[in-house]
Amino acid sequence: MKYINILNKIIEYSFYALFFLVPLVLFPDTSELFEFNKMWLTFIISLVILAAWGSKMLIKRQFKIQRTPLDIPILLFLASQIISTIFTLDRHVSLWGYYSRFNGGLFSILAYIFLYYAFVSNFRENAKTVVKRLIAVILSSGVIVALWGLPSHFGYDPTCLAFRGTFDVSCWTSDFQPKVRIFSTLGQPDWLAAYLAALLPIITVFLLRSKLFKETKQGLKFSPKDAFFAVLYFLIFVLFYLDLLYTNSKSGLLGLWAGAVFFAAGYILLKLRDKGKEEAKKFTWDYRFLATAIVAVLIMTFVVATPFTFMRNYFTYQGLKGNISLLIHKPKPTPAPKTTTVQAVAGAGELGGTDSGTIRLLVWHGAIEAWLHNPIIGTGVETFAFAYYLYRPAAHNMTSEWQYLYNKAHNEYLNYLATTGAFGLLTYLSVIGLFFYFSIKTLLKVKMNADNKNLVLGLLAGYVTILITNFFGFSVVIINLFIFLLPALAFTLLNLINYDRTLNLALNKKVDGTVAKNEDYKVTAPIWAGIVVIVILCGYSILGLINYWNADRAYAKGYNLDRVGDYQTAYPYLQQAVNQRPGEPVFQDEMSVNDAVLTIALLKEAQSQPQQATQAAALAQNLAKEAITTSDNITTQHPNNVVFWKDRVRVLYTLAQADQRYYALALDAIKKAAQLAPTDADISYNMGILYGQNGDTKDAVSTLENTVRLKPNYDMAYYALGIFYHQLAINNKGQVVNQQYQQKAIDAMNAMLKVSPGNQQALDALKTWGGGK
């Protein structure tokens, strides 16, 4: 019994640690500061729970998994993920998830499903108490996250203070501007917004059940304790909503509004049912606090503003102030500036790039195309990056993010549809749908404790916010934990877990057929041996994860050094990463590029320092061989990874500076990349250049003509096209013998000048050819 209690405590507090730490954890030295560390922590805690639960089952001599109302849809969903992983475009990515994301791979799905069953199977005696403690832990972590992120809006980020020692926002790049959109410890504004939106209905439940007075025999009496908690819950509510506004997230606000409507309708309906119409009309404390919360929301929204243009212009302080100013001053209209580009980049977003909604629609279109070509089981778990490249709309080239790699569909449902097909999406939706069906049915039909009922309603409303935010984005680690664990919490509070229905293989029956009680369990030598085996296996897996994490840290250092041109310093870090985790192709890919650059650097050194020429040449030869061998291996093992093919082109093109025979291999590699990404204007441009460098000027021209069709505002493509047209127009003596090609060359340079006015290269070419104005 003693050991069982210890193991139960390990499992219980592991869940507390999971939900408290995952939103908070980040690390400065890994390749991805946020999600990678959160996913690894989830894996490690899951293994701790597995070791404790496995040991517990051994001691009880009973393999038991609790049955729940969601068993069939969860198992079907898991089957869809496994089948999709078997027939995937890339097995490694489907197992682990896309590198830097990881969340969403088969291993992460297994972890989430395991945690669901571990929770419902281990807290029979005190399940509701554990649920309420866990909700308190979730809210406590949320408070820390919100407090951590709030100062960054004003230019003081605790993350920069912790990692760089400066209490400002200088540790973030221009792409991450917390003064514009805060993200706290979640890593991205929309992720923080989704998290806070899910917590707001839950804290609302605590607020609505608050009171300032206690009923005594002498009448109502002010209660300092109750007042303290009422004020505390109200301040947390305000903090969460204020942070949500500062994320400037449309999806977060839409999710919150949907969750608020669901919660309000459910709360009123249940109160009418439980209290009756007359009682429900009374202006009780819950209504008073609800009114206070609504007023606070309206005031904060009016002062801070929202990302929605109409509301920002007419229902906020700044918007009204601007409109009144316009009415008073009435500025004179100014003529519109002349357009100087061939085609304007689609609508600007808040940071000056293309509007996120425009880009999102293009990505959704590519996701649907990927599904139509792989309708049943999709392209493979977490392979959206490869699927999208195959079916990417050409219009994406005209956005500000045309060179970005999209490894998610920015719509959770379309992401599942594209990567796991109709089977994956339908089973995923069935889990969600049945969760709501059983929960709402029980709420409406079964009389139960008011606090538990309202808490379930808050959990359901929080879940609704996730469904909306996921429609415009995708789940991160903490959101996926909510998706899989909130049903377990709600079912526990609703008494929908029938503890007599289990998947049970009992080895603890006595001679008379009865089952041994807790006090009868004895930890014999064979049981100890089994426990040791379980602990060793889980411990070994944890050490493997830590080794992987350390390898990533080395890779991150090498990667960052490569990006600033310090390839020599980066080399040992990349070697360390590959040696520690030889099975990770991302590490090998970066190392092959590093090898190629160092090869050329060594050969140049050999020319400038003849006394070290032999040694430098030998080392360069070894590095070149390593670069080619590594690139060969990863493109052979991962033939559908367009990123690896693009980097192979880079490796070969770099080596071609020393040996022009590599140009032909680089051309072959980029042809393969073009097959995997037929609408990528960047790949098309580089393929045109490589055709030219291989002496095939006509194919260079036809390829670059396709490039400017894909991206009509691609200035360098026009320049290259003009150069190759000119080469076709002249003979060996440099004389123009084909006026048609020469005119096309002039037209191409003029087209470049429309895209990039004043470009000196184009002006010099036109001046040389006599085509200037």
Side-chain angles (χ1 to χ4, degrees):
M1 186 65 177
K2 173 185 174 183
Y3 295 117
I4 297 295
N5 290 337
I6 292 173
L7 293 170
N8 280 335
K9 287 297 180 183
I10 291 173
I11 295 170
E12 179 181 345
Y13 283 89
S14 292
F15 274 104
Y16 298 154
L18 180 70
F19 280 94
F20 184 80
L21 294 175
V22 164
L24 296 171
V25 69
L26 65 158
F27 199 81
D29 293 340
T30 48
S31 61
E32 202 279 339
L33 277 67
F34 303 95
E35 284 292 282
F36 175 50
N37 296 290
K38 296 178 193 299
M39 192 71 256
W40 249 234
L41 179 64
T42 301
F43 283 146
I44 289 172
I45 292 179
S46 297
L47 287 166
V48 171
I49 294 173
L50 176 60
W53 188 16
S55 299
K56 178 180 168 182
M57 287 192 286
L58 273 180
I59 293 173
K60 285 191 169 185
R61 297 158 178 82
Q62 189 179 33
F63 178 84
K64 184 171 80 170
I65 298 177
Q66 181 63 51
R67 297 289 305 277
T68 76
L70 297 182
D71 293 342
I72 293 176
I74 284 177
L75 289 176
L76 287 173
F77 172 67
L78 179 59
S80 73
Q81 305 303 291
I82 293 172
I83 292 171
S84 181
T85 298
I86 293 172
F87 298 100
T88 181
L89 289 175
D90 193 295
R91 184 74 47 78
H92 181 82
V93 168
S94 288
L95 287 172
W96 284 100
Y98 195 87
Y99 202 88
S100 81
R101 294 282 189 224
F102 292 102
N103 175 53
L106 182 62
F107 288 152
S108 71
I109 297 298
L110 287 170
Y112 299 134
I113 292 174
F114 163 77
L115 289 168
Y116 171 83
Y117 281 103
F119 187 88
V120 298
S121 300
N122 284 287
F123 303 115
R124 178 170 184 168
E125 288 78 13
N126 61 338
K128 291 182 181 178
T129 301
V130 172
V131 167
K132 292 177 182 179
R133 288 175 181 169
L134 189 56
I135 290 172
V137 167
I138 290 170
L139 291 174
S140 299
S141 183
V143 169
I144 298 174
V145 169
L147 288 173
W148 189 275
L150 186 60
S152 64
H153 175 76
F154 305 98
Y156 305 99
D157 196 334
T159 303
C160 293
L161 179 62
F163 293 165
R164 297 283 182 87
T166 58
F167 197 30
D168 52 29
V169 294
S170 62
C171 63
W172 303 113
T173 66
S174 59
D175 293 330
F176 290 86
Q177 299 183 30
K179 291 177 69 174
V180 178
R181 302 182 67 191
I182 69 170
F183 46 83
S184 188
T185 58
L186 272 293
Q188 208 262 16
D190 288 323
W191 301 348
L192 175 61
Y195 174 66
L196 294 173
L199 297 187
L200 273 162
I202 302 174
I203 192 60
T204 303
V205 173
F206 285 84
L207 180 62
L208 294 186
R209 74 183 188 187
S210 301
K211 294 182 180 180
L212 297 179
F213 300 93
K214 276 189 175 181
E215 293 184 7
T216 65
K217 292 180 180 180
Q218 292 78 29
L220 293 177
K221 183 179 179 182
F222 179 74
S223 170
K225 180 181 177 182
D226 290 343
F228 169 79
F229 282 106
V231 172
L232 177 64
Y233 298 146
F234 178 73
L235 290 176
I236 294 173
F237 177 89
V238 168
L239 175 66
F240 286 174
Y241 186 71
L242 187 61
D243 268 35
L244 179 58
L245 288 177
Y246 284 146
T247 65
N248 204 32
S249 170
K250 293 179 182 178
S251 62
L253 281 172
L254 287 173
L256 178 62
W257 294 344
V261 170
F262 179 91
F263 181 83
Y267 190 81
I268 294 171
L269 181 63
L270 291 175
K271 192 161 187 178
L272 284 170
R273 187 201 66 176
D274 295 341
K275 300 288 186 180
K277 189 174 182 180
E278 293 303 319
E279 284 292 320
K281 285 182 178 179
K282 292 182 179 179
F283 196 60
T284 50
W285 277 110
D286 54 347
Y287 287 148
R288 295 175 190 179
F289 281 117
L290 181 60
T292 305
I294 291 172
V295 170
V297 164
L298 292 175
I299 292 173
M300 285 188 286
T301 305
F302 180 76
V303 173
V304 176
T306 75
F308 297 99
T309 304
F310 180 78
M311 292 184 65
R312 187 169 60 245
N313 289 343
Y314 299 101
F315 295 99
T316 66
Y317 170 74
Q318 289 296 334
L320 291 176
K321 181 181 176 182
N323 288 331
I324 293 171
S325 177
L326 284 174
L327 287 173
I328 294 173
H329 299 293
K330 292 183 180 179
K332 295 180 180 180
T334 56
K338 294 181 179 180
T339 302
T340 57
T341 58
V342 173
Q343 182 173 337
V345 175
E350 63 270 351
L351 296 180
T354 306
D355 178 67
S356 60
T358 302
I359 298 175
R360 190 172 277 112
L361 289 174
L362 291 169
V363 177
W364 290 358
H365 177 76
I368 292 171
E369 284 296 316
W371 168 63
L372 290 174
H373 287 81
N374 307 272
I376 307 301
I377 59 173
T379 59
V381 173
E382 279 302 279
T383 58
F384 184 78
F386 315 137
Y388 185 62
Y389 263 120
L390 278 168
Y391 307 107
R392 176 178 178 266
H396 201 141
N397 291 309
M398 299 306 296
T399 70
S400 61
E401 297 184 3
W402 69 283
Q403 290 180 308
Y404 286 20
L405 184 148
Y406 277 79
N407 49 42
K408 292 280 191 179
H410 288 263
N411 179 306
E412 187 83 338
Y413 315 105
L414 289 179
N415 202 78
Y416 274 119
L417 188 66
T419 58
T420 61
F423 186 24
L425 177 62
L426 291 175
T427 53
Y428 179 72
L429 292 177
S430 70
V431 174
I432 296 170
L434 286 174
F435 165 49
F436 275 93
Y437 171 77
F438 287 119
S439 299
I440 294 173
K441 179 182 176 182
T442 305
L443 279 175
L444 293 175
K445 289 189 175 182
V446 178
K447 293 280 186 177
M448 58 185 297
N449 177 278
D451 285 346
N452 290 347
K453 172 192 66 180
N454 291 332
L455 203 47
V456 170
L457 186 61
L459 293 174
L460 289 172
Y463 211 94
V464 168
T465 70
I466 291 172
L467 299 183
I468 301 302
T469 54
N470 273 357
F471 184 84
F472 298 100
F474 51 88
S475 294
V476 290
V477 177
I478 187 59
I479 296 301
N480 257 343
L481 283 171
F482 285 165
I483 287 173
F484 285 91
L485 270 296
L486 290 188
L489 307 188
F491 285 170
T492 301
L493 293 172
L494 291 169
N495 297 317
L496 284 175
I497 306 295
N498 183 351
Y499 291 103
D500 293 328
R501 295 184 68 242
T502 60
L503 178 64
N504 193 354
L505 178 61
L507 303 175
N508 58 347
K509 291 184 178 180
K510 296 182 178 180
V511 177
D512 60 4
T514 61
V515 178
K517 297 179 181 179
N518 283 352
E519 57 267 20
D520 297 327
Y521 299 139
K522 293 181 180 179
V523 185
T524 60
I527 296 298
W528 275 121
I531 291 172
V532 169
V533 170
I534 290 174
V535 170
I536 288 175
L537 289 175
C538 290
Y540 180 78
S541 299
I542 290 172
L543 289 175
L545 288 169
I546 293 173
N547 182 67
Y548 204 151
W549 184 77
N550 280 323
D552 176 84
R553 292 176 64 199
Y555 161 72
K557 290 178 182 177
Y559 177 91
N560 290 330
L561 287 166
D562 275 355
R563 294 308 173 274
V564 297
D566 193 353
Y567 293 93
Q568 186 172 349
T569 307
Y571 179 78
Y573 288 114
L574 294 173
Q575 285 287 336
Q576 178 187 341
V578 171
N579 291 336
Q580 283 188 266
R581 182 67 184 178
E584 179 48 63
V586 169
F587 299 168
Q588 298 178 46
D589 181 57
E590 186 65 26
M591 189 182 73
S592 68
V593 173
N594 180 278
D595 286 343
V597 174
L598 286 179
T599 297
I600 301 305
L602 283 167
L603 291 176
K604 290 179 179 179
E605 181 183 326
Q607 292 176 353
S608 61
Q609 300 180 16
Q611 65 275 18
Q612 298 179 1
T614 303
Q615 183 181 358
L619 184 55
Q621 185 177 6
N622 289 334
L623 285 172
K625 183 178 179 181
E626 183 178 72
I628 294 298
T629 302
T630 303
S631 181
D632 286 345
N633 289 338
I634 59 176
T635 51
T636 300
Q637 295 168 11
H638 306 275
N640 297 307
N641 190 320
V642 66
V643 176
F644 292 164
W645 283 103
K646 289 170 75 173
D647 282 343
R648 177 175 175 81
V649 173
R650 184 181 172 191
V651 167
L652 295 168
Y653 189 85
T654 301
L655 294 175
Q657 296 178 41
D659 187 344
Q660 293 192 356
R661 289 176 297 179
Y662 285 113
Y663 280 131
L665 294 175
L667 179 60
D668 290 340
I670 206 164
K671 285 179 181 178
K672 175 62 178 178
Q675 291 173 8
L676 297 173
T679 64
D680 188 305
D682 213 17
I683 290 177
S684 180
Y685 167 75
N686 284 293
M687 184 163 64
I689 298 297
L690 280 168
Y691 268 124
Q693 290 179 328
N694 277 276
D696 192 344
T697 307
K698 287 190 175 180
D699 277 338
V701 164
S702 63
T703 302
L704 289 167
E705 286 174 341
N706 180 59
T707 303
V708 296
R709 282 194 294 269
L710 291 172
K711 184 173 174 60
N713 63 352
Y714 200 164
D715 52 354
M716 292 309 299
Y718 283 116
Y719 180 78
L721 189 56
I723 295 297
F724 289 127
Y725 275 141
H726 179 67
Q727 288 180 8
L728 291 174
I730 61 176
N731 59 19
N732 293 334
K733 297 180 180 180
Q735 299 169 332
V736 175
V737 294
N738 189 316
Q739 287 296 334
Q740 185 178 4
Y741 276 129
Q742 183 66 2
Q743 187 58 49
K744 284 186 176 183
I746 292 170
D747 291 343
M749 290 302 173
N750 283 323
M752 182 184 182
L753 288 173
K754 289 182 180 179
V755 177
S756 181
N759 183 278
Q760 195 59 47
Q761 288 179 301
L763 291 172
D764 290 345
L766 288 172
K767 183 177 180 181
T768 302
W769 302 339
K773 293 181 180 179

